[in-house]
């Protein structure tokens, strides 16, 4: 007897970070870091039977450096299968 189960999930994350450096005696503060990043992670998990599971997961990330106007894009795909004896 097969007992199939499909589970899905979707995660979205958005972060922004910045830092400034300045003198305690006054003067202008200088921006050292200003980045924003978002990531989207969809996941499918499938149980074929009590002895066989599998999953497909992706992660899509963009990280933008606001100081130098550059974007780093990362794309990941993971596939796994688990056999239980």
């Amino acid at each position: 007897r097969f007992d199939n189960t499909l589970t899905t999930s979707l995660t979205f994350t958005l972060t922004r970070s910045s830092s400034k450096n300045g003198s305690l005696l006054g003067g202008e503060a200088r921006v050292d870091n200003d980045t924003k990043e978002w990531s989207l992670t969809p996941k499918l998990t499938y149980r074929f039977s009590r002895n066989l599971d599998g999953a497909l997961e992706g992660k899509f990330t963009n990280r933008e450096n606001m100081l130098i106007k550059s974007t780093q894009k990362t794309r990941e795909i993971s596939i796994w299968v688990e056999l239980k004896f």
Side-chain angles (χ1 to χ4, degrees):
R1 178 173 165 242
F2 288 102
D3 193 16
N4 301 326
T5 305
L6 176 66
T7 305
T8 62
S9 67
L10 182 64
T11 305
F12 179 75
T13 306
L14 179 63
T15 58
R16 174 104 191 227
S17 66
S18 63
S19 61
K20 294 182 180 181
N21 193 0
S23 170
L24 293 175
L25 301 175
E28 250 182 77
R30 190 180 82 235
V31 176
D32 289 333
N33 176 36
D34 190 9
T35 59
K36 63 181 178 179
E37 179 178 319
W38 66 262
S39 68
L40 183 67
T41 308
K43 183 176 183 179
L44 296 171
T45 304
Y46 192 76
R47 169 165 265 178
F48 296 95
S49 68
R50 65 183 187 151
N51 296 330
L52 180 62
D53 293 340
L56 172 65
E57 182 175 5
K59 186 170 184 178
F60 309 94
T61 304
N62 280 18
R63 181 180 177 92
E64 186 175 355
N65 184 324
M66 306 300 284
L67 292 178
I68 60 174
K69 306 291 186 215
S70 72
T71 302
Q72 176 186 5
K73 297 178 181 182
T74 306
R75 307 296 184 246
E76 301 174 27
I77 299 290
S78 301
I79 299 172
W80 61 262
V81 175
E82 180 179 14
L83 300 170
K84 300 172 191 169
F85 295 100

